[in-house]
């Protein structure tokens, strides 16, 4: 499996190798069907189009990338099987999807209060741990190419959420996840699994009291219109892994594959930058709207939250891997 650190070294060789091969390949381009489940105007949607542009440019038309957004080809629960069968070549599912596939180690990214900031995150996604996690997909017939951000999550409710005991008894909406269930139970809240499309109405009618999500998702779903308080806690992370069918990838000419790796590296930088920008813009827009009062978590409060939520890490060690958690603590400087 390649690592993102190998892109630059391989790029030069790819240009030489492709100089004679491109004219013939361009007449019968290799087609990559890139399927994803979100809208084209999201960070993931924009990054998929960016990869298409770069891949076709760097291979001089030897590769044609067809992007299918909004579950046009396959729904959320179908796409991984479609990739393994070779019906599509490339996906960018959320990291939580790999648990049901038999690689629960990816649920490391769901552990609360693990990453302080983007720099912490990069120590994992761009380091040995991130590469090793992607390598675990090969046994499933999948090659992991890159990590794309959605962003860090904030908390919202109709009462202040400054300290852990502020959650006591609150009904908090979550997506289906054993770790997220344990997170809110540790805070004394009642987790409620609910479809994303139902959240606004549930908050508006009081079926649930609060929720967690990235600022961009919170804003685009108008959650701030029905929540009085928010905490910029950055307590959890939502991200994706760009993956490709292993048999397809291994069957590519080495020069073509190297140029696709180069395109993916640039598309990844683009994806993560726009995710950060859009979350910052969304948070500011919600502050400006004035319907929600946002609290910015202090270092002391973060330490308080970490002590309450650290038992979630311990209880999930058997599922995620105790050694993996220890290695991550070491990489992040967590005592």
């Amino acid at each position: 499996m390649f690592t993102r650190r190998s892109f630059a070294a391989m790029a030069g060789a790819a240009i030489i190798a492709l100089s004679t091969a491109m004219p013939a390949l361009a007449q019968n381009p290799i087609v990559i069907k890139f399927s994803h489940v979100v809208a084209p105007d999201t960070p993931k949607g924009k990054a998929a189009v960016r990869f298409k542009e770069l891949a076709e440019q760097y291979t001089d038309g030897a590769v044609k990338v067809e992007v299918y957004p909004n579950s046009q080809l396959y729904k959320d629960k179908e796409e991984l099987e479609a990739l393994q069968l070779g019906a599509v070549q490339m996906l960018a599912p959320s990291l939580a999807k790999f648990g049901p596939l038999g690689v629960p180690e990816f649920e490391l990214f769901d552990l609360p209060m693990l990453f302080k900031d983007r720099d912490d995150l990069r120590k994992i996604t761009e380091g040995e741990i991130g590469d090793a996690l992607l390598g675990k997909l090969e046994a499933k017939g999948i090659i992991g190419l890159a990590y794309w951000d959605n962003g860090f999550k904030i908390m919202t409710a109709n009462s202040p959420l400054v300290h852990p005991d502020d959650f006591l008894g609150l009904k908090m909406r979550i997506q289906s996840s054993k770790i997220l269930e344990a997170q809110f139970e540790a805070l004394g809240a009642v987790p409620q699994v609910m479809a994303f499309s139902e959240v606004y109405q549930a908050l508006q009618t009081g079926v649930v009291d609060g929720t967690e999500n990235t600022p961009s998702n919170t804003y685009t779903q108008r959650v701030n219109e029905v929540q009085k308080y928010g905490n910029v806690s950055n307590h959890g992370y939502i991200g994706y892994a760009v993956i490709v069918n292993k048999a397809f990838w291994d069957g590519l000419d080495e020069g073509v594959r190297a140029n696709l790796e180069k395109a993916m590296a640039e598309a990844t930088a683009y994806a993560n930058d726009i995710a950060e920008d859009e979350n910052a813009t969304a948070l500011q827009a919600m502050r400006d709207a004035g319907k929600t009062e946002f609290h910015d978590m202090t270092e002391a409060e973060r330490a308080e939250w970490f002590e309450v939520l650290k038992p979630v890490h311990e209880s999930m060690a058997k599922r995620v891997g105790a050694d993996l958690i220890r290695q991550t603590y070491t990489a992040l400087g967590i005592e």
Side-chain angles (χ1 to χ4, degrees):
M1 183 196 76
F2 73 89
T3 67
R4 286 162 296 289
R5 296 186 291 276
S6 68
F7 289 146
M10 298 180 73
I15 293 170
I16 296 171
L18 289 172
S19 60
T20 56
M22 284 299 112
L25 287 169
Q27 294 175 7
N28 296 291
I30 300 162
V31 175
I32 296 177
K33 292 183 179 178
F34 190 160
S35 174
H36 65 80
V37 300
V38 300
D41 61 350
T42 59
K44 187 201 295 190
K46 292 175 182 177
V49 171
R50 184 65 175 150
F51 172 72
K52 165 186 169 65
E53 295 168 350
L54 292 169
E56 293 175 356
Q57 174 188 335
Y58 290 151
T59 62
D60 197 22
V63 171
K64 179 183 179 184
V65 180
E66 298 175 353
V67 179
Y68 297 92
N70 278 330
S71 303
Q72 288 178 1
L73 292 183
Y74 297 98
K75 294 180 181 178
D76 223 356
K77 295 181 180 180
E78 303 168 343
E79 60 175 10
L80 277 170
E81 183 179 3
L83 181 86
Q84 290 176 301
L85 293 173
V88 294
Q89 288 70 48
M90 192 172 288
L91 304 173
S94 65
L95 297 171
K97 298 288 174 59
F98 296 120
L101 190 66
V103 194
E105 292 89 342
F106 277 91
E107 293 178 11
L108 172 78
F109 292 98
D110 284 339
L111 294 176
M113 307 305 289
L114 184 61
F115 307 108
K116 286 185 179 180
D117 51 30
R118 199 183 190 199
D119 289 341
D120 261 6
L121 177 66
R122 294 291 171 261
K123 290 175 185 176
I124 304 306
T125 59
E126 294 182 358
E128 292 180 3
I129 292 173
D131 285 338
L133 287 172
L134 292 179
K136 291 181 179 294
L137 297 173
E138 292 195 29
K140 307 296 181 182
I142 295 168
I143 294 288
L145 300 179
Y147 293 95
W148 286 1
D149 294 344
N150 182 318
F152 289 100
K153 293 184 285 187
I154 62 176
M155 294 284 196
T156 66
N158 281 321
S159 56
L161 299 175
V162 178
H163 303 287
D165 56 9
D166 291 334
F167 287 85
L168 195 62
L170 294 183
K171 300 187 294 292
M172 299 295 291
R173 178 267 171 180
I174 62 167
Q175 58 180 326
S176 181
S177 165
K178 293 296 184 185
I179 290 179
L180 296 183
E181 276 186 35
Q183 167 189 286
F184 279 113
E185 287 170 354
L187 290 169
V190 181
Q192 302 280 321
V193 176
M194 182 178 295
F196 186 45
S197 59
E198 299 172 7
V199 173
Y200 178 88
Q201 185 175 5
L203 291 169
Q204 186 180 43
T205 57
V207 172
V208 292
D209 300 307
T211 187
E212 60 166 16
N213 220 312
T214 59
S216 60
N217 285 346
T218 301
Y219 182 57
T220 56
Q221 293 297 309
R222 300 183 297 131
V223 167
N224 63 301
E225 296 180 5
V226 289
Q227 298 275 264
K228 295 178 181 177
Y229 298 93
N231 189 329
V232 186
S233 51
N234 294 336
H235 64 281
Y237 169 74
I238 301 178
Y240 314 105
V242 185
I243 58 177
V244 66
N245 176 279
K246 184 178 188 300
F248 168 80
W249 191 254
D250 290 346
L252 291 174
D253 174 86
E254 185 176 335
V256 171
R257 192 165 57 240
N259 269 346
L260 291 177
E261 290 169 357
K262 179 184 176 185
M264 181 56 66
E266 293 185 23
T268 297
Y270 171 79
N272 294 341
D273 284 345
I274 61 174
E276 184 176 37
D277 289 345
E278 291 196 7
N279 279 310
T281 299
L283 182 58
Q284 189 58 52
M286 289 189 289
R287 291 186 196 272
D288 293 343
K291 294 184 177 180
T292 305
E293 180 182 329
F294 284 96
H295 172 78
D296 294 291
M297 181 176 282
T298 67
E299 282 298 315
E301 289 162 358
R302 180 178 177 83
E304 180 186 14
W305 281 50
F306 183 80
E307 286 305 309
V308 172
L309 291 169
K310 189 177 180 182
V312 177
H313 299 197
E314 296 163 359
S315 67
M316 292 295 163
K318 187 175 291 187
R319 181 175 180 84
V320 175
D323 286 343
L324 176 59
I325 293 174
R326 278 195 293 269
Q327 290 166 14
T328 303
Y329 278 14
T330 299
L332 299 179
I334 297 174
E335 297 294 332

